[in-house]
Amino acid sequence: MQITRAGSIPSVKGPAEYFSGTVRIDPLFQAPPPARSVGGSVTFEPGARTAWHTHPLGQILIVTSGSGRTQCSGGPVVKIQPGDVIWCPPGHKHWHGASPTTAMTHIAITEALDGKVVDWLEKLTDEEYAAAAANVEGASSS
């Protein structure tokens, strides 16, 4: 058994090439082989979000605080909130992040395929995000 103590892995800033706005990534675990799962807690400040991306083996998001948004390419923008669990299937182009006015934190769990957990694509522009924020399923004001 291996126990990774809270705070024992340093936080990192979400790289500007893959994120818009202020994002903090707190790595939680990287399972040793033959397991291939990786997990982290990601905090998005208001308006912050990922670029469009896919995962070769999919991704699970567990929202732990705040108010967020997610969208699969071609689909509606959906509000996500604490307690929501989101399954992003393998190869599905999507993005996720905070609402325009409220920060959001989620735990992200992925599995590596040939050492890779994500394929980063183009960034969601500010105009696309603003349009998405105006058309959210399941949203009230946050």
Side-chain angles (χ1 to χ4, degrees), residues 7-73:
S8 65
I9 304 171
S11 299
V12 296
K13 183 176 179 177
E17 63 211 278
Y18 306 134
F19 297 92
S20 297
T22 303
V23 177
R24 185 184 77 239
I25 302 167
D26 292 297
L28 297 175
F29 67 89
Q30 183 166 358
R36 53 188 180 185
S37 58
V38 177
S41 178
V42 185
T43 300
F44 299 83
E45 291 302 316
R49 64 230 179 238
T50 67
W52 287 99
H53 61 286
T54 65
H55 301 278
L57 295 177
Q59 179 184 52
I60 297 169
L61 302 175
I62 305 165
V63 182
T64 58
S65 68
S67 179
R69 307 289 186 262
T70 189
Q71 180 183 24
C72 284
S73 182

Coordinates of all heavy atoms in Angstrom, one line a residue, residues 7-73:
G7 N -0.8 17.5 0.1 CA 0.2 18.6 0.1 C 1.6 18.1 -0.2 O 2.5 18.9 -0.3
S8 N 1.8 16.8 -0.4 CA 3.2 16.3 -0.6 C 3.6 16.4 -2.0 O 4.8 16.3 -2.3 CB 3.3 14.8 -0.1 OG 2.5 14.0 -1.0
I9 N 2.7 16.7 -2.9 CA 3.1 16.9 -4.3 C 2.7 18.4 -4.6 O 1.6 18.8 -4.4 CB 2.3 16.0 -5.3 CG1 2.5 14.5 -4.9 CG2 2.7 16.3 -6.7 CD1 1.6 13.6 -5.7
P10 N 3.7 19.2 -5.1 CA 3.5 20.6 -5.3 C 2.4 20.9 -6.3 O 2.3 20.2 -7.3 CB 4.8 21.2 -5.8 CG 5.8 20.1 -5.4 CD 5.1 18.8 -5.4
S11 N 1.7 22.0 -6.1 CA 0.7 22.5 -7.1 C 1.5 23.1 -8.2 O 2.6 23.5 -8.1 CB -0.1 23.6 -6.4 OG -0.9 23.2 -5.3
V12 N 0.8 23.1 -9.4 CA 1.4 23.7 -10.6 C 0.3 24.6 -11.2 O -0.9 24.3 -11.1 CB 1.9 22.7 -11.6 CG1 3.1 21.9 -11.0 CG2 0.8 21.7 -12.1
K13 N 0.8 25.6 -11.9 CA -0.1 26.5 -12.7 C -0.5 25.8 -14.0 O 0.3 25.2 -14.6 CB 0.5 27.8 -12.9 CG -0.3 28.8 -13.6 CD 0.4 30.2 -13.8 CE -0.6 31.1 -14.5 NZ 0.0 32.4 -14.7
G14 N -1.8 25.9 -14.3 CA -2.2 25.3 -15.6 C -1.5 26.1 -16.8 O -1.6 27.3 -16.8
P15 N -0.8 25.4 -17.6 CA -0.1 26.0 -18.7 C -1.0 26.8 -19.6 O -2.0 26.3 -20.0 CB 0.6 24.8 -19.5 CG 0.5 23.7 -18.6 CD -0.7 23.9 -17.7
A16 N -0.5 28.0 -20.0 CA -1.3 28.9 -20.8 C -1.6 28.3 -22.2 O -2.6 28.7 -22.8 CB -0.6 30.3 -21.0
E17 N -0.8 27.4 -22.7 CA -1.1 26.8 -24.0 C -2.3 25.9 -24.0 O -2.8 25.6 -25.0 CB 0.2 26.1 -24.5 CG 0.6 24.9 -23.7 CD 2.1 24.7 -23.7 OE1 2.6 24.1 -24.7 OE2 2.8 25.2 -22.8
Y18 N -2.7 25.4 -22.8 CA -3.8 24.5 -22.7 C -5.0 25.0 -21.9 O -6.0 24.4 -21.9 CB -3.3 23.2 -22.0 CG -2.1 22.5 -22.6 CD1 -1.1 22.1 -21.9 CD2 -2.1 22.4 -24.0 CE1 0.0 21.5 -22.5 CE2 -1.0 21.8 -24.6 CZ 0.1 21.3 -23.9 OH 1.2 20.7 -24.4
F19 N -4.8 26.2 -21.2 CA -5.8 26.7 -20.4 C -6.0 28.2 -20.6 O -5.0 28.9 -20.9 CB -5.5 26.5 -18.9 CG -5.5 25.1 -18.5 CD1 -4.3 24.4 -18.5 CD2 -6.6 24.4 -18.0 CE1 -4.2 23.0 -18.1 CE2 -6.5 23.1 -17.6 CZ -5.3 22.4 -17.7
S20 N -7.2 28.7 -20.5 CA -7.4 30.2 -20.5 C -7.8 30.6 -19.1 O -8.6 29.9 -18.4 CB -8.6 30.5 -21.5 OG -8.2 30.2 -22.8
G21 N -7.2 31.7 -18.6 CA -7.5 32.2 -17.2 C -6.6 31.5 -16.2 O -5.6 30.8 -16.6
T22 N -6.9 31.7 -15.0 CA -6.1 31.2 -13.9 C -6.6 29.8 -13.5 O -7.7 29.6 -13.0 CB -6.1 32.1 -12.7 OG1 -5.7 33.4 -13.1 CG2 -5.2 31.6 -11.6
V23 N -5.7 28.8 -13.6 CA -6.0 27.4 -13.3 C -4.8 26.9 -12.4 O -3.7 27.0 -12.7 CB -6.1 26.6 -14.6 CG1 -6.4 25.1 -14.2 CG2 -7.2 27.1 -15.4
R24 N -5.2 26.2 -11.3 CA -4.2 25.5 -10.5 C -4.5 24.0 -10.5 O -5.6 23.5 -10.4 CB -4.3 26.0 -9.0 CG -3.2 25.4 -8.1 CD -3.4 25.8 -6.7 NE -4.4 25.0 -6.0 CZ -5.5 25.5 -5.5 NH1 -5.7 26.8 -5.4 NH2 -6.4 24.7 -4.9
I25 N -3.4 23.2 -10.7 CA -3.5 21.8 -10.8 C -2.8 21.2 -9.5 O -1.6 21.5 -9.3 CB -2.9 21.2 -12.0 CG1 -3.6 21.8 -13.3 CG2 -2.9 19.7 -12.1 CD1 -2.9 21.6 -14.6
D26 N -3.5 20.4 -8.7 CA -2.9 19.8 -7.6 C -2.9 18.3 -7.9 O -3.9 17.6 -7.8 CB -3.7 20.0 -6.3 CG -3.7 21.5 -5.9 OD1 -2.5 21.9 -5.6 OD2 -4.7 22.1 -5.9
P27 N -1.7 17.8 -8.4 CA -1.6 16.3 -8.7 C -1.9 15.5 -7.4 O -1.5 15.8 -6.3 CB -0.1 16.1 -9.1 CG 0.3 17.5 -9.5 CD -0.4 18.5 -8.6
L28 N -2.7 14.5 -7.6 CA -3.1 13.6 -6.5 C -2.4 12.3 -6.5 O -2.0 11.8 -5.5 CB -4.7 13.4 -6.5 CG -5.5 14.7 -6.3 CD1 -7.0 14.4 -6.4 CD2 -5.2 15.3 -4.9
F29 N -2.4 11.7 -7.7 CA -1.8 10.3 -7.8 C -1.4 10.0 -9.2 O -2.0 10.5 -10.2 CB -2.6 9.2 -7.2 CG -3.9 9.0 -8.0 CD1 -3.9 8.1 -9.1 CD2 -5.1 9.7 -7.7 CE1 -5.1 7.9 -9.8 CE2 -6.2 9.4 -8.4 CZ -6.2 8.5 -9.5
Q30 N -0.4 9.1 -9.4 CA -0.1 8.5 -10.6 C 0.2 7.0 -10.3 O 1.2 6.7 -9.6 CB 1.1 9.1 -11.3 CG 1.3 8.4 -12.7 CD 2.3 9.3 -13.6 OE1 2.7 10.4 -13.2 NE2 2.6 8.7 -14.7
A31 N -0.7 6.2 -10.5 CA -0.6 4.8 -10.1 C 0.6 4.1 -10.8 O 0.8 4.3 -12.0 CB -1.9 4.0 -10.4
P32 N 1.3 3.3 -10.1 CA 2.4 2.6 -10.7 C 2.0 1.5 -11.6 O 0.9 0.9 -11.5 CB 3.2 2.0 -9.5 CG 2.2 1.9 -8.4 CD 1.2 3.0 -8.7
P33 N 2.8 1.1 -12.7 CA 2.4 0.0 -13.6 C 2.2 -1.3 -12.8 O 2.9 -1.5 -11.7 CB 3.6 -0.1 -14.5 CG 4.3 1.3 -14.4 CD 4.0 1.8 -13.0
P34 N 1.3 -2.1 -13.2 CA 0.7 -2.1 -14.5 C -0.6 -1.2 -14.6 O -1.2 -1.0 -15.6 CB 0.2 -3.6 -14.7 CG 0.0 -4.1 -13.3 CD 1.0 -3.4 -12.5
A35 N -1.0 -0.6 -13.4 CA -2.1 0.4 -13.5 C -1.7 1.5 -14.3 O -0.5 1.8 -14.5 CB -2.4 0.8 -12.0
R36 N -2.6 2.3 -14.8 CA -2.3 3.4 -15.7 C -3.2 4.6 -15.4 O -3.3 5.5 -16.2 CB -2.4 3.0 -17.1 CG -3.7 2.4 -17.5 CD -3.7 1.8 -18.9 NE -5.0 1.2 -19.2 CZ -5.3 0.5 -20.3 NH1 -4.3 0.4 -21.2 NH2 -6.5 0.0 -20.5
S37 N -3.7 4.7 -14.2 CA -4.6 5.8 -13.8 C -3.8 7.0 -13.2 O -2.8 6.8 -12.6 CB -5.7 5.4 -12.9 OG -5.1 4.8 -11.7
V38 N -4.3 8.2 -13.5 CA -3.7 9.4 -13.0 C -4.8 10.3 -12.5 O -5.9 10.4 -13.1 CB -3.0 10.2 -14.2 CG1 -2.4 11.5 -13.7 CG2 -1.9 9.3 -14.8
G39 N -4.6 11.0 -11.4 CA -5.7 11.8 -10.9 C -5.1 13.1 -10.4 O -4.0 13.2 -9.9
G40 N -6.0 14.2 -10.5 CA -5.6 15.5 -10.0 C -6.8 16.3 -9.6 O -7.9 16.1 -10.1
S41 N -6.6 17.3 -8.8 CA -7.6 18.2 -8.4 C -7.3 19.5 -9.2 O -6.2 20.0 -9.1 CB -7.6 18.5 -6.9 OG -8.6 19.5 -6.6
V42 N -8.3 20.0 -9.9 CA -8.0 21.2 -10.8 C -9.0 22.3 -10.4 O -10.2 22.1 -10.3 CB -8.2 20.8 -12.3 CG1 -7.9 22.0 -13.2 CG2 -7.4 19.6 -12.7
T43 N -8.5 23.5 -10.1 CA -9.3 24.6 -9.7 C -9.2 25.7 -10.8 O -8.1 26.1 -11.2 CB -8.8 25.2 -8.4 OG1 -8.9 24.2 -7.4 CG2 -9.6 26.4 -8.0
F44 N -10.4 26.1 -11.2 CA -10.5 27.1 -12.3 C -11.1 28.4 -11.6 O -12.2 28.3 -11.0 CB -11.5 26.7 -13.4 CG -11.1 25.4 -14.1 CD1 -11.3 24.1 -13.6 CD2 -10.5 25.5 -15.3 CE1 -11.0 23.0 -14.3 CE2 -10.1 24.3 -16.0 CZ -10.4 23.1 -15.5
E45 N -10.4 29.5 -11.7 CA -11.0 30.8 -11.3 C -12.1 31.2 -12.2 O -12.2 30.6 -13.3 CB -9.9 31.8 -11.2 CG -8.9 31.6 -10.1 CD -9.5 31.5 -8.7 OE1 -10.4 32.4 -8.4 OE2 -9.1 30.6 -8.0
P46 N -13.0 32.1 -11.8 CA -14.1 32.5 -12.7 C -13.7 32.8 -14.1 O -12.7 33.5 -14.3 CB -14.7 33.7 -12.0 CG -14.4 33.5 -10.6 CD -13.0 32.9 -10.6
G47 N -14.4 32.2 -15.1 CA -14.1 32.4 -16.5 C -12.9 31.5 -17.0 O -12.7 31.4 -18.2
A48 N -12.2 30.8 -16.2 CA -11.1 30.0 -16.6 C -11.6 28.7 -17.2 O -12.6 28.2 -16.7 CB -10.1 29.7 -15.5
R49 N -10.9 28.1 -18.2 CA -11.3 26.9 -18.8 C -10.2 26.2 -19.5 O -9.1 26.8 -19.8 CB -12.4 27.1 -19.8 CG -11.9 28.0 -21.0 CD -12.9 29.2 -21.2 NE -12.4 30.0 -22.3 CZ -12.1 31.3 -22.1 NH1 -12.2 31.9 -21.0 NH2 -11.8 32.0 -23.2
T50 N -10.4 24.9 -19.9 CA -9.5 24.2 -20.7 C -9.6 24.6 -22.1 O -10.6 25.2 -22.6 CB -9.7 22.7 -20.6 OG1 -11.0 22.4 -21.3 CG2 -9.7 22.1 -19.2
A51 N -8.6 24.2 -22.9 CA -8.7 24.2 -24.4 C -9.6 23.0 -24.7 O -9.8 22.1 -23.9 CB -7.3 24.1 -25.0
W52 N -10.0 22.9 -26.0 CA -10.7 21.7 -26.5 C -9.6 20.6 -26.4 O -8.4 20.8 -26.6 CB -11.1 21.9 -27.9 CG -12.3 22.8 -28.1 CD1 -12.2 24.1 -28.5 CD2 -13.6 22.4 -28.0 NE1 -13.5 24.6 -28.6 CE2 -14.4 23.6 -28.3 CE3 -14.3 21.2 -27.6 CZ2 -15.8 23.6 -28.2 CZ3 -15.7 21.2 -27.6 CH2 -16.4 22.4 -27.9
H53 N -10.1 19.4 -26.0 CA -9.2 18.2 -25.9 C -9.9 16.9 -25.9 O -11.1 16.9 -25.9 CB -8.3 18.4 -24.6 CG -9.1 18.4 -23.4 ND1 -9.8 19.4 -22.9 CD2 -9.2 17.4 -22.4 CE1 -10.4 19.2 -21.8 NE2 -10.1 17.9 -21.4
T54 N -9.2 15.8 -26.1 CA -9.7 14.5 -26.0 C -8.8 13.7 -25.1 O -7.7 14.0 -24.8 CB -9.8 13.8 -27.4 OG1 -8.4 13.6 -27.9 CG2 -10.5 14.7 -28.4
H55 N -9.4 12.5 -24.7 CA -8.6 11.6 -23.9 C -8.7 10.2 -24.6 O -9.8 9.7 -24.9 CB -9.2 11.5 -22.5 CG -9.2 12.8 -21.8 ND1 -8.0 13.3 -21.1 CD2 -10.1 13.7 -21.6 CE1 -8.3 14.4 -20.6 NE2 -9.6 14.8 -20.9
P56 N -7.5 9.5 -24.7 CA -7.5 8.3 -25.5 C -8.4 7.2 -24.8 O -8.9 6.3 -25.5 CB -6.1 7.9 -25.6 CG -5.4 8.7 -24.5 CD -6.2 9.9 -24.3
L57 N -8.5 7.2 -23.5 CA -9.3 6.2 -22.7 C -10.4 6.8 -21.9 O -11.0 6.2 -21.0 CB -8.4 5.4 -21.8 CG -7.3 4.5 -22.6 CD1 -6.4 3.7 -21.6 CD2 -8.0 3.5 -23.5
G58 N -10.7 8.1 -22.2 CA -11.8 8.8 -21.5 C -11.3 9.5 -20.3 O -10.1 9.4 -19.9
Q59 N -12.3 10.1 -19.6 CA -11.9 10.9 -18.4 C -13.2 10.9 -17.5 O -14.3 11.0 -18.0 CB -11.5 12.3 -18.8 CG -11.2 13.2 -17.6 CD -10.9 14.7 -18.0 OE1 -11.7 15.3 -18.7 NE2 -9.8 15.2 -17.5
I60 N -12.9 10.9 -16.2 CA -14.0 11.1 -15.2 C -13.7 12.4 -14.5 O -12.6 12.6 -14.0 CB -14.0 9.9 -14.2 CG1 -14.4 8.6 -14.9 CG2 -15.0 10.2 -13.1 CD1 -14.2 7.4 -14.1
L61 N -14.7 13.2 -14.4 CA -14.6 14.5 -13.6 C -15.6 14.4 -12.4 O -16.7 14.0 -12.6 CB -15.0 15.7 -14.5 CG -14.1 15.9 -15.7 CD1 -14.7 17.1 -16.5 CD2 -12.7 16.2 -15.4
I62 N -15.1 14.7 -11.2 CA -16.0 14.8 -10.1 C -15.9 16.2 -9.5 O -14.9 16.6 -9.0 CB -15.5 13.8 -9.0 CG1 -15.4 12.4 -9.6 CG2 -16.4 13.8 -7.8 CD1 -14.7 11.4 -8.7
V63 N -17.0 16.9 -9.7 CA -17.0 18.3 -9.3 C -17.1 18.4 -7.7 O -18.0 17.8 -7.1 CB -18.2 19.1 -9.9 CG1 -18.2 20.6 -9.5 CG2 -18.1 19.0 -11.4
T64 N -16.2 19.1 -7.1 CA -16.1 19.2 -5.6 C -16.5 20.5 -5.1 O -16.9 20.6 -3.9 CB -14.7 18.8 -5.1 OG1 -13.8 19.7 -5.7 CG2 -14.4 17.4 -5.5
S65 N -16.5 21.6 -5.9 CA -16.9 22.9 -5.4 C -17.2 23.8 -6.5 O -16.6 23.7 -7.6 CB -15.9 23.5 -4.4 OG -14.7 23.8 -5.0
G66 N -18.0 24.8 -6.2 CA -18.2 25.9 -7.2 C -19.2 25.6 -8.2 O -20.2 24.8 -8.1
S67 N -19.1 26.3 -9.4 CA -20.0 26.2 -10.5 C -19.2 26.2 -11.8 O -18.4 27.1 -12.0 CB -21.0 27.4 -10.5 OG -21.9 27.3 -11.6
G68 N -19.5 25.2 -12.6 CA -18.7 25.0 -13.9 C -19.6 24.8 -15.1 O -20.8 24.8 -15.0
R69 N -18.8 24.7 -16.2 CA -19.5 24.4 -17.5 C -18.7 23.3 -18.2 O -17.4 23.2 -18.0 CB -19.4 25.6 -18.4 CG -20.1 26.9 -17.7 CD -21.6 26.8 -17.6 NE -22.2 28.0 -17.1 CZ -22.5 28.2 -15.9 NH1 -22.3 27.3 -15.0 NH2 -23.2 29.3 -15.5
T70 N -19.3 22.5 -19.0 CA -18.6 21.6 -19.9 C -19.4 21.5 -21.2 O -20.6 21.8 -21.2 CB -18.4 20.2 -19.2 OG1 -17.6 19.4 -20.0 CG2 -19.8 19.5 -19.0
Q71 N -18.7 21.0 -22.2 CA -19.4 20.9 -23.5 C -18.6 19.9 -24.4 O -17.4 19.9 -24.4 CB -19.4 22.2 -24.3 CG -20.1 22.1 -25.6 CD -20.0 23.5 -26.4 OE1 -19.2 24.3 -26.1 NE2 -21.0 23.7 -27.3
C72 N -19.3 18.9 -25.0 CA -18.8 18.1 -26.0 C -19.0 18.8 -27.3 O -20.0 19.5 -27.5 CB -19.4 16.7 -26.0 SG -18.9 15.6 -24.7
S73 N -18.0 18.7 -28.2 CA -18.1 19.3 -29.6 C -19.5 19.0 -30.2 O -19.9 17.8 -30.3 CB -17.0 18.8 -30.4 OG -17.0 19.5 -31.7

